[in-house]
Amino acid sequence: MVGFAISNAAVTDLADAAVALNQRLADGTLTARIADTMPLSQAADAHRRLGAGGVAGRLILTP
């Protein structure tokens, strides 16, 4: 799977897609690209980094 778009999907279709994606994440057949993990107190910094571009992956904010 390279990517997908959801438009006008029913709630049940969205739920089915979430189950499938979470299963693939859990069994390792799909991985999430994580650029960095940051404390929630640095949310403004994370936002600036995203706005500046060049972030390859997700920025995860932790409590």
Side-chain angles (χ1 to χ4, degrees), residues 20-42:
L21 287 172
N22 284 322
Q23 182 59 48
R24 291 191 62 200
L25 286 167
D27 67 20
T29 59
L30 177 68
T31 57
R33 189 181 320 166
I34 299 173
D36 202 358
T37 302
M38 307 168 70
L40 185 57
S41 62
Q42 293 180 2

Side-chain angles (χ1 to χ4, degrees), residues 5 9 11 15-17 19-20 22-23 30 34 36 39-40 45 47 51 53-55 57-60 62:
V11 172
D16 291 344
V19 168
N22 284 322
Q23 182 59 48
L30 177 68
I34 299 173
D36 202 358
L40 185 57
D45 292 333
H47 192 265
V55 176
R58 302 291 187 224
L59 295 178
I60 307 298
T62 58

